[in-house]
Amino acid sequence: MMKLYGVRGWGSAITEAMLALVGQSYEFVDVEGFDRPGEAQERLARVNPLRQVPVLVLEDGDILTESAAIALWLAEQHPELAPSRDTAEHRRFLRWLIWLVANVYPTFTYGDVPDRWCPSAPDELKETTDAYRKRLYRQLEAEITGPYLLGEQPSALDCYAAAMVGWWPGTPWFEANTPKFYAAAMLMRRHPQLAEVMAANKQTG
């Protein structure tokens, strides 16, 4: 059985949602506390030297890290996770998947613990990354067709939305400023195949 290293409410919730959406069984390995020295961090480091979640250990022992890589691999096994190949929707899927991890994710990396990266001006770094994140979400909002991020069918992108709508700047901000993103995320949270995962990650609504 596959093993997923993660922490409830963190980025591993996205991978959990994708696995649940396709009905893939897995064992969840909780590494809460991995972000500080200790047993959990050491356990995670054995499968990912960067000490980041999620980490998906496949049945043959191979290891996948990076949520986008996991999404693309899962979509190869379960085509329903992405629009059909050789379509405009599939190209949009690829674009926004990489866009999320290349642009939005770094704002958390540097903005969540700003004194680690800019000890001389941590407040300024957090302020600028927070503002940039909001601008990015507004850019995505302008291209959402609804009811899901890419249209009528859910995809792995909606698993991202379902988790990220609860992250900073927070659900009320999304509802007020990016209503299409908010609506798609809430719709995905209510997907019957995701109910258990969303509840475990305290991401219902």
Side-chain angles (χ1 to χ4, degrees), residues 21-36:
L21 189 60
V22 300
Q24 174 65 56
S25 60
Y26 62 95
E27 176 188 345
F28 185 79
V29 181
D30 193 338
V31 287
E32 184 174 3
F34 76 91
D35 52 336
R36 54 186 180 274

Side-chain angles (χ1 to χ4, degrees), residues 144-161:
I144 295 174
T145 56
Y148 294 100
L149 294 189
L150 294 176
E152 295 297 324
Q153 299 297 321
S155 73
L157 285 179
D158 296 286
C159 295
Y160 279 84

Side-chain angles (χ1 to χ4, degrees), residues 136-203:
L136 290 169
Y137 280 126
R138 288 190 174 102
Q139 178 190 346
L140 175 58
E141 173 76 5
E143 300 205 30
I144 295 174
T145 56
Y148 294 100
L149 294 189
L150 294 176
E152 295 297 324
Q153 299 297 321
S155 73
L157 285 179
D158 296 286
C159 295
Y160 279 84
M164 296 174 78
V165 74
W167 302 351
W168 203 95
T171 305
W173 183 90
F174 287 108
E175 185 175 12
N177 294 275
T178 56
K180 289 186 290 184
F181 180 87
Y182 171 82
M186 292 299 108
L187 180 61
M188 194 62 179
R189 283 189 173 192
R190 294 191 294 271
H191 194 291
Q193 289 176 242
L194 270 60
E196 186 176 341
V197 164
M198 292 291 101
N201 284 278
K202 298 180 173 61
Q203 296 175 338

Side-chain angles (χ1 to χ4, degrees), residues 9 15 62 83 94 105 190 202:
T15 300
D62 201 7
L94 294 175
Y105 264 35
R190 294 191 294 271
K202 298 180 173 61

Side-chain angles (χ1 to χ4, degrees), residues 90-103:
H90 191 266
R91 292 189 289 273
R92 291 180 63 224
F93 169 80
L94 294 175
R95 175 196 175 192
W96 289 113
L97 175 64
I98 302 306
W99 180 91
L100 276 172
V101 298
N103 293 284

Side-chain angles (χ1 to χ4, degrees), residues 17 84 184:
S84 300

Side-chain angles (χ1 to χ4, degrees), residues 8 36-38 107 119 123 129:
R8 302 298 189 188
R36 54 186 180 274
T107 67
D123 292 341
T129 53

